[in-house]
Amino acid sequence: MSDTKTENTPKATKKEWIGLAVIALPCLLYAMDLTVLYLAAPQLSADLNPTPSQQLWIMDIYGFLVAGFLVIMGNLGDRIGRRKLLLYGAAAFGVASVLAAFSPSSEILILTRAILGITAATLAPSTLSLIRNMFLDPEERTFAIGIWGMSFSLGGAIGPLVGGVLLEYFWWGSVFLMSVPVMIVLLIVGPKLLPEFKDPNAGKMDIPSAILSLVSVLSIIYGLKQIAENGWGTIPILTILAGLAVGAVFIKRQTTLRDPMIDLELFKLPAFTAAVVGNTMTIFVGLGAFLFISQYLQLVLGLSPLEAGLWTLPGALGNIIGSLTIHMIVRIMRPLYVMLSGLVLLAIGMYLYTLINTENGIWMIIAGSLIMSFGICAVVILGTDIIVGSAPPERAGAAASISETAAEFGGVLGIAVLGSIGVAIFKSRINSIELPGLTPEQWESSHNTLASAVSVAKELPEPSRQILLSTAQGAFTDSLHFVSFLGVGISIALAFVIFFILKNKKEPEAATETPELEKAAR
């Protein structure tokens, strides 16, 4: 990118920077809503008495529908206006939060959680696409996207902490009400601080494409979640295959439309493809590892959920540091090399996880999480910047939805695949050891997961209790080490893939008009 381009690009004003703070608020709540309900589950179950199936849907339907509606909402924002979609979504989110807080039954809570998921899907693509238009200077946009990403990290980190405080003094529904004041503020100041952008030449939304997109994403996400929770089976595999088949029909349809929901031409740009792959697989490794670390802290080291949450805060600190400094690092280092360095840091953090034992566990987790989170931040912030900057301004909403959908898939895929591998390792280790004194039911339950083994151990007298506990914890630690080694390998392989994609790329014509692509390739 030439200095002339940078000098001629208008800088953001005070209004845009205050608007960024407004944009960050709903993103913070979006992430908090993904995590906070897990703490409320015991109180909620005691009050509403849901069936096991209903309890799963209460927890999962929010994330399902967020993922399913991202592409649709990103395209809708391009057509009706991103600010309008954001404000409508915020209003609906606030109303649904109140309804969820006072749900009299499990069925009503499932319904309100579904509405929360659909309305939450308006937030991420709307806010990200607004940033694309508010911050035209590439360096400022990189910093703004860093703040945007940091708001999600903070939401995920403080969600359990804030939820824990609310549940200490109020009923389970209070965790939903914390979003209402923020949404009211957004509705008051949003029209004054946020500009409106939309595609003036956009055609009508293609309804068949919207339905195909929704069915495809929901089917694949549902299948992956089932594998993560119950292991590999015929139904989840068939569900995933059906989702892929529907997705193929969706992609084929996009090639025939004058105004497609997803611009497949973007994937011909190597930097765009590298950014999508990089973001997806980086989050795949990061969230897959977090699944094991959260269990290790509670079920091996014996920490309470609140204590475990506090010990994961260094990861959030790494995200904050990365979000605030990446835009400065790219001044002195090419963005491609910053992304590659981020993947190296991810590999180092995962390697530290392979060294975890009961003596050094806390410190290895702190060091590994801090290093990993900074590395993930470098890849995801720059990758998101490239993805959003690749699209013309009028299609920023659709590009933002691709970025968010890739992130959702990366997270769910990481939990499903790495989680399944970890369970397989756990079972193979624990099956190789004799555990006398167990009934057939106890034996089968203790060989499923570490949580089940810990639950069975509580029913046993000494020394059988301690034998089962130490055996299960050792088997789980082995599975953590194995998955961490996989994470190291995936991170290094991904670095090579991204390097060769961008190193050998020929400059496309679009790159002369897209600073982010030109910048990433240099």
Side-chain angles (χ1 to χ4, degrees):
M1 180 173 58
S2 68
D3 292 336
T4 303
K5 281 184 180 180
T6 302
E7 291 172 3
N8 292 338
T9 303
K11 300 288 186 178
T13 66
K14 183 179 179 181
K15 181 179 179 180
E16 276 78 36
W17 290 112
I18 297 175
L20 177 63
V22 174
I23 282 175
L25 290 175
C27 299
L28 188 81
L29 290 169
Y30 167 97
M32 290 176 69
D33 252 46
L34 284 170
T35 58
V36 72
L37 195 60
Y38 288 97
L39 284 177
Q43 290 186 23
L44 185 156
S45 297
D47 187 18
L48 300 183
N49 195 27
T51 65
S53 176
Q54 288 175 332
Q55 185 157 349
L56 283 175
W57 279 112
I58 289 170
M59 297 298 172
D60 291 341
I61 196 166
Y62 177 83
F64 281 160
L65 294 183
V66 167
F69 276 88
L70 280 170
V71 172
I72 295 172
M73 294 304 181
N75 278 267
L76 185 61
D78 286 340
R79 287 164 170 78
I80 71 170
R82 289 134 198 188
R83 185 183 69 186
K84 182 182 291 185
L85 180 65
L86 176 62
L87 296 179
Y88 285 168
F93 191 94
V95 172
S97 296
V98 174
L99 295 175
F102 296 98
S103 295
S105 67
S106 299
E107 293 83 1
I108 298 298
L109 183 56
I110 292 171
L111 176 62
T112 54
R113 286 279 286 171
I115 298 172
L116 282 170
I118 295 171
T119 56
T122 68
L123 304 180
S126 295
T127 52
L128 185 54
S129 56
L130 279 170
I131 288 173
R132 168 69 175 89
N133 295 99
M134 291 165 62
F135 298 91
L136 301 179
D137 179 78
E139 184 180 320
E140 289 184 340
R141 182 158 61 245
T142 301
F143 179 68
I145 289 176
I147 298 298
W148 175 84
M150 183 180 70
S151 65
F152 288 98
S153 301
L154 282 176
I158 69 175
L161 301 180
V162 174
V165 172
L166 288 174
L167 292 169
E168 187 74 22
Y169 298 100
F170 304 102
W171 89 115
W172 59 266
S174 62
V175 300
F176 292 107
L177 295 180
M178 62 184 176
S179 66
V180 176
V182 174
M183 293 306 176
I184 291 174
V185 170
L186 176 60
L187 291 172
I188 293 173
V189 303
K192 300 176 182 178
L193 294 174
L194 301 179
E196 182 62 285
F197 293 102
K198 64 180 178 179
D199 183 357
N201 300 314
K204 292 183 178 180
M205 177 85 74
D206 183 57
I207 301 302
S209 289
I211 294 173
L212 289 170
S213 167
L214 183 62
V215 172
S216 175
V217 173
L218 289 181
S219 298
I220 296 172
I221 293 288
Y222 178 78
L224 290 172
K225 289 279 286 183
Q226 288 298 304
I227 290 172
E229 292 170 3
N230 305 312
W232 296 87
T234 302
I235 292 178
I237 291 175
L238 289 177
T239 303
I240 292 172
L241 291 176
L244 292 173
V246 174
V249 175
F250 168 78
I251 292 172
K252 178 66 175 176
R253 183 173 180 82
Q254 302 315 293
T255 63
T256 66
L257 297 175
R258 184 185 65 83
D259 192 21
M261 288 185 66
I262 291 181
D263 185 0
L264 299 178
E265 293 296 313
L266 289 173
F267 287 94
K268 294 181 180 180
L269 302 174
F272 180 88
T273 302
V276 171
V277 172
N279 281 13
T280 302
M281 294 309 298
T282 298
I283 295 173
F284 172 95
V285 173
L287 279 188
F290 182 76
L291 172 69
F292 287 84
I293 294 302
S294 59
Q295 293 183 73
Y296 187 88
L297 287 169
Q298 295 181 65
L299 300 177
V300 177
L301 298 185
L303 303 181
S304 69
L306 182 58
E307 289 172 328
L310 290 172
W311 285 113
T312 60
L313 287 180
L317 177 62
N319 277 311
I320 294 172
I321 295 172
S323 300
L324 298 177
T325 59
I326 293 300
H327 76 290
M328 294 186 286
I329 296 174
V330 295
R331 294 178 188 171
I332 58 176
M333 185 185 295
R334 295 175 181 176
L336 170 60
Y337 296 148
V338 176
M339 293 179 72
L340 297 179
S341 299
L343 290 170
V344 171
L345 291 176
L346 176 58
I348 292 172
M350 293 299 296
Y351 176 72
L352 291 180
Y353 284 174
T354 69
L355 306 178
I356 287 174
N357 57 49
T358 52
E359 295 180 359
N360 66 18
I362 287 290
W363 304 113
M364 284 298 173
I365 288 172
I366 290 175
S369 299
L370 188 61
I371 294 170
M372 276 179 59
S373 59
F374 187 89
I376 291 172
C377 202
V379 178
V380 172
I381 286 177
L382 292 179
T384 302
D385 195 10
I386 292 169
I387 292 169
V388 176
S390 300
E394 66 272 11
R395 295 288 289 159
S401 68
I402 292 175
S403 176
E404 288 302 296
T405 303
E408 291 285 343
F409 268 110
V412 176
L413 193 63
I415 292 172
V417 174
L418 296 181
S420 297
I421 291 172
V423 169
I425 298 297
F426 174 83
K427 289 183 176 180
S428 68
R429 295 289 190 272
I430 202 169
N431 283 339
S432 64
I433 300 174
E434 289 291 331
L435 296 172
L438 299 181
T439 66
E441 292 79 11
Q442 288 175 327
W443 189 94
E444 183 176 353
S445 179
S446 65
H447 284 55
N448 287 330
T449 64
L450 175 60
S452 299
V454 171
S455 178
V456 170
K458 293 177 181 178
E459 304 171 358
L460 301 177
E462 295 290 356
S464 298
R465 175 183 178 276
Q466 192 56 45
I467 292 173
L468 173 58
L469 202 57
S470 61
T471 300
Q473 290 172 341
F476 182 82
T477 303
D478 289 342
S479 69
L480 168 60
H481 291 166
F482 186 87
V483 168
S484 298
F485 272 119
L486 280 181
V488 173
I490 292 170
S491 302
I492 294 173
L494 182 59
F496 277 106
V497 168
I498 290 177
F499 176 75
F500 283 110
I501 288 177
L502 296 182
K503 176 178 179 292
N504 298 325
K505 98 176 194 67
K506 296 178 180 178
E507 284 292 331
E509 292 182 8
T512 62
E513 301 174 0
T514 310
E516 286 70 23
L517 294 180
E518 183 182 323
K519 182 173 71 172
R522 290 190 316 169

